[in-house]
């Protein structure tokens, strides 16, 4: 069976994707910084498929290379799901925290690139592979105070398209999922642990759940060889755009 490497598998969309793919017999390499969560997920899924985990910070270029280098040397990665990422803060650009900007650009953009750099050459060599980048509605639109997060997701959108062009000669599929509001730990991270503020993001509407995104990833991966679902924008029914949400 295929082996899928998922970044950000310790929570939210990445965690749900690991669970759904394990149900469908994909072997997994689950990645993140919180080792105890990865260990627990490995224990949960190990009876179904082969599950390994790797602990690294996608922002740390050397760590990514040191951890993923031996992985790639020893086994074929059929699918890379570039999911790790977060928003940090929500502020007008003139009030933004530079540490938050660094975290978003370094994680969402440079981190995705570091991981891709470790995995893609092997796919090129084998002339096979599938990359799914987790973009966002924030990569298609810009909303007030979302400035740098939106810029980072616009970068993911551009990188997805760039990868598809560059990897076309090698038969590698490149896809993106661009969700609207998904109820995960995302807003808790964005608001630095403020659970009340985080809950407000999903109040009085039915947000997407991580499982909804996982099922789209499974659909993408289970298409025939000649079909590449290149991008899916998926919103809660209550959400019409980044800024228009029907809360009843
Ligand atoms: P969560 O906060 O629930 O999960 C984020 C995951 O990313 C965690 O597993 C976390 O693992 C990992 N991660 C974050 N930073 C790093 C880092 N520096 N190094 C390694 N791993 C990291 O949020 P979501 O599941 O919602 O987010 C997943 C992706 O989906 C992100 O790219 C996000 O931008 C995108 N997205 C989310 C939407 C939403 O509304 N929730 C909508 C559209 C897109 P750990 O902390 O263990 O390292
Ligand atoms: C996450 C969705 O609208 O909070 O990418 O930016 S949003």
């Amino acid at each position: 069976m295929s082996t899928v490497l998922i970044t950000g598998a310790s929570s939210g969309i990445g965690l749900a994707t690991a669970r759904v793919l394990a149900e469908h017999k994909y072997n997994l390499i689950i990645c993140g910084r919180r080792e105890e969560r990865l260990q627990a997920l490995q224990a949960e899924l190990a009876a179904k498929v082969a599950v390994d985990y790797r602990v690294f910070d996608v922002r740390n270029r050397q760590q990514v290379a040191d951890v993923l280098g031996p992985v790639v040397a020893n086994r074929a990665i059929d699918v890379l799901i570039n999911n790790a990422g977060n928003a940090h803060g929500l502020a007008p650009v003139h009030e933004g925290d530079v540490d938050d900007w660094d975290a978003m650009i370094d994680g969402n953009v440079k981190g995705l690139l570091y991981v891709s750099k470790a995995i893609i050459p092997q796919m090129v060599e084998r002339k096979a592979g599938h990359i799914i980048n987790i973009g966002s509605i924030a990569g298609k639109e810009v909303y007030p105070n979302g400035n740098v997060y939106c810029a980072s997701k616009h970068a993911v959108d551009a990188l997805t398209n760039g990868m598809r062009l560059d990897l076309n000669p090698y038969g590698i599929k490149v896809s993106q999922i661009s969700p609207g509001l998904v109820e995960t730990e995302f807003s808790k991270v964005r608001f630095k642990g403020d659970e009340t503020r985080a809950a407000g993001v999903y109040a009085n509407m039915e947000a997407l759940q991580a499982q909804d995104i996982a099922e789209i990833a499974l659909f993408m991966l289970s298409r025939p060889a000649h079909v590449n679902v290149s991008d899916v924008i998926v919103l809660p029914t209550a959400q019409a755009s980044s800024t228009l949400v029907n809360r009843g």
Side-chain angles (χ1 to χ4, degrees), residues 3-73:
T3 295
V4 183
L5 188 144
I6 307 175
T7 65
S10 56
S11 172
I13 292 169
L15 173 63
T17 302
R19 284 182 172 144
V20 165
L21 295 186
E23 286 300 326
H24 290 81
K25 302 294 174 208
Y26 290 84
N27 294 322
L28 299 171
I29 303 173
I30 51 176
C31 305
R33 292 167 298 182
R34 286 170 288 181
E35 183 168 11
E36 67 292 349
R37 287 195 181 201
L38 297 174
Q39 263 172 352
L41 185 59
Q42 182 192 41
E44 177 190 324
L45 301 180
K48 296 180 177 149
V49 290
V51 185
D52 288 326
Y53 72 83
R54 291 291 181 278
V55 178
F56 58 89
D57 186 329
V58 297
R59 294 171 299 184
N60 186 326
R61 179 177 170 179
Q62 194 58 49
Q63 206 178 67
V64 172
D66 289 347
V67 172
L68 292 183
V71 171
V72 171

Side-chain angles (χ1 to χ4, degrees), residues 8-211:
S10 56
S11 172
I13 292 169
L15 173 63
T17 302
R19 284 182 172 144
V20 165
L21 295 186
E23 286 300 326
H24 290 81
K25 302 294 174 208
Y26 290 84
N27 294 322
L28 299 171
I29 303 173
I30 51 176
C31 305
R33 292 167 298 182
R34 286 170 288 181
E35 183 168 11
E36 67 292 349
R37 287 195 181 201
L38 297 174
Q39 263 172 352
L41 185 59
Q42 182 192 41
E44 177 190 324
L45 301 180
K48 296 180 177 149
V49 290
V51 185
D52 288 326
Y53 72 83
R54 291 291 181 278
V55 178
F56 58 89
D57 186 329
V58 297
R59 294 171 299 184
N60 186 326
R61 179 177 170 179
Q62 194 58 49
Q63 206 178 67
V64 172
D66 289 347
V67 172
L68 292 183
V71 171
V72 171
N74 287 314
R75 59 196 289 193
I77 308 297
D78 302 292
V79 178
L80 166 62
I81 303 186
N82 274 317
N83 164 74
N86 274 118
H88 300 274
L90 182 72
V93 70
H94 56 286
E95 293 173 10
D97 180 325
V98 177
D99 288 337
D100 285 344
W101 295 354
D102 282 345
M104 290 185 278
I105 299 294
D106 291 349
N108 302 354
V109 184
K110 291 167 69 181
L112 180 147
L113 282 169
Y114 296 156
V115 172
S116 299
K117 178 72 179 166
I119 305 293
I120 293 175
Q122 190 214 55
M123 291 181 170
V124 168
E125 205 173 308
R126 291 188 295 114
K127 290 193 166 54
H130 193 164
I131 300 158
I132 301 178
N133 293 329
I134 306 300
S136 172
I137 188 68
K140 309 289 186 182
E141 303 174 15
V142 179
Y143 53 85
N145 303 326
N147 41 66
V148 177
Y149 178 69
C150 294
S152 76
K153 287 298 180 177
H154 275 68
V156 173
D157 192 52
L159 287 169
T160 302
N161 292 328
M163 286 179 183
R164 194 178 305 112
L165 295 174
D166 295 348
L167 300 176
N168 173 268
Y170 307 101
I172 296 169
K173 296 188 189 187
V174 181
S175 308
Q176 178 171 250
I177 307 175
S178 303
L181 294 167
V182 190
E183 195 168 3
T184 62
E185 295 179 14
F186 177 87
S187 291
K188 202 172 126 191
V189 173
R190 168 170 251 174
F191 299 126
K192 304 179 194 312
D194 183 337
E195 306 235 12
T196 308
R197 200 171 169 202
V201 174
Y202 314 108
N204 305 315
M205 55 91 64
E206 189 170 350
L208 295 170
Q209 300 300 309
Q211 174 84 10

